[in-house]
Amino acid sequence: MNKVPQEEKKGYLLVLITGILWGSIGLFVKWMGQLGATPTFTSFCRMAFALPILVVLTLIKCGPKAFLIDKYSLRSCALMGFLCQALYNFLYSFAVDQLGVSVSSVLLYISPVFTSILSYFIFKEKISMQKWFALIANIAGCALTVTGGKLSGLQFSLSGLLFALGAALCYSFSAIIGRFATARCNPYVASTYNFAFATLFLLIFTRPWQGMSGKISPLLLLVAFGFALVPTAITYLLYFTGLQKIKETSRVPVLASVETVSATLLGIFVLGEEIGLVNWLGICLVFISILLMNLKIGRSSAPQAEKN
């Protein structure tokens, strides 16, 4: 069994922490919805409020000169902001509208498979039998954790299916493009530009102000700030920092899938939700998939991703 380098272990830990913090997203979305926010406004606030937070943190950490990055990094950040944030949110909202939350969520968990396939062609990362088992266990585990094996009110729509798969594909690019974006610039800077472009694209394409007349209260803005700070600005800094340290990009979405477990446990202990045996089985499968994806047996088949 090969020894994992200490820096890569730190990367695994940072991505796991990211997934755990991402598990709180549902709490903030639900809270903002109860205060009158539309899904579009909630998504926009998450990006827009995180941007100044990241600007301040980046200035403190790196100084103003850090924002002077090359065109390659800037294009990567712009692509990530459009594809992995704006377009992802747009497609997923339509998928939920046509398929419902449960089915859309399950289809979204196909994204680690997309990431593995993309990593095979882009970074020449081999997809071993062990990795396929990990991916299958991850998809099954996430699906069972969320649904408990019951897709109540199952809906089917071909366009909804395409929207959901499109959202999963966009989500799968996060680790791919994130690796390119952080290859030549600091994770703080990459995160800031990512959210700058995401805010711009969401503002242009989603018109988040619609339906919010008279509903914006100080409490809503305070919750939006918390949403932008904890499971957004802080987590993306951790995510990109961890991504730099992990050799195989395809491992990242499986590690981050601990978000599903975190969200479920928060639902139990914070919202008083009840789950059954099938949900617990799903949680176990998620952890098994993480172990399978990161347990190195025999000679490592992980190639080095090219640094640009």
Side-chain angles (χ1 to χ4, degrees), residues 72-73 76-77 80 176-186 190 240:
Y72 173 88
S73 299
S76 297
C77 291
M80 186 162 50
I176 303 289
I177 304 175
R179 183 173 292 282
F180 287 118
T182 57
R184 296 182 179 180
C185 69
N186 186 281
F240 286 130

Side-chain angles (χ1 to χ4, degrees), residues 40-197:
T40 303
F41 184 77
T42 299
S43 297
F44 174 75
C45 282
R46 185 188 182 197
M47 301 294 113
F49 280 46
L51 179 57
I53 296 172
L54 287 167
V55 169
V56 171
L57 291 175
T58 303
L59 286 172
I60 294 172
K61 176 74 174 179
C62 310
K65 290 185 179 180
F67 288 106
L68 300 175
I69 61 175
D70 58 81
K71 293 180 180 179
Y72 173 88
S73 299
L74 192 64
R75 285 196 299 266
S76 297
C77 291
L79 183 59
M80 186 162 50
F82 172 71
L83 197 63
C84 307
Q85 301 289 359
L87 185 57
Y88 161 74
N89 278 282
F90 179 80
L91 293 173
Y92 190 65
S93 62
F94 273 91
V96 170
D97 181 62
Q98 297 189 26
L99 296 175
V101 175
S102 296
V103 178
S104 300
S105 297
V106 171
L107 289 172
L108 186 62
Y109 299 136
I110 299 174
S111 59
V113 176
F114 288 150
T115 303
S116 292
I117 294 172
L118 289 168
S119 297
Y120 173 81
F121 288 105
I122 297 172
F123 301 122
K124 309 303 179 185
E125 294 179 7
K126 294 182 179 179
I127 309 178
S128 63
M129 188 61 68
Q130 179 182 339
K131 186 175 288 188
W132 278 119
F133 279 130
L135 291 169
I136 293 169
N138 188 257
I139 294 171
C142 289
L144 293 177
T145 301
V146 171
T147 67
K150 298 178 182 178
L151 295 177
S152 56
L154 179 65
Q155 305 174 46
F156 177 77
S157 162
L158 180 58
S159 59
L161 176 64
L162 293 176
F163 281 131
L165 291 176
L169 182 60
C170 289
Y171 185 79
S172 70
F173 273 104
S174 295
I176 303 289
I177 304 175
R179 183 173 292 282
F180 287 118
T182 57
R184 296 182 179 180
C185 69
N186 186 281
Y188 282 73
V189 179
S191 299
T192 303
Y193 275 113
N194 174 31
F195 279 89
F197 284 111

Side-chain angles (χ1 to χ4, degrees), residues 210-249:
Q210 290 184 341
M212 288 302 299
S213 178
K215 295 180 180 179
I216 302 177
S217 64
L219 179 57
L220 175 59
L221 295 178
L222 181 62
V223 174
F225 178 80
F227 189 16
L229 177 64
V230 181
T232 308
I234 292 174
T235 51
Y236 271 91
L237 291 176
L238 295 174
Y239 178 78
F240 286 130
T241 303
L243 184 60
Q244 281 188 323
K245 301 177 185 296
I246 298 175
K247 293 179 181 179
E248 287 191 72
T249 309

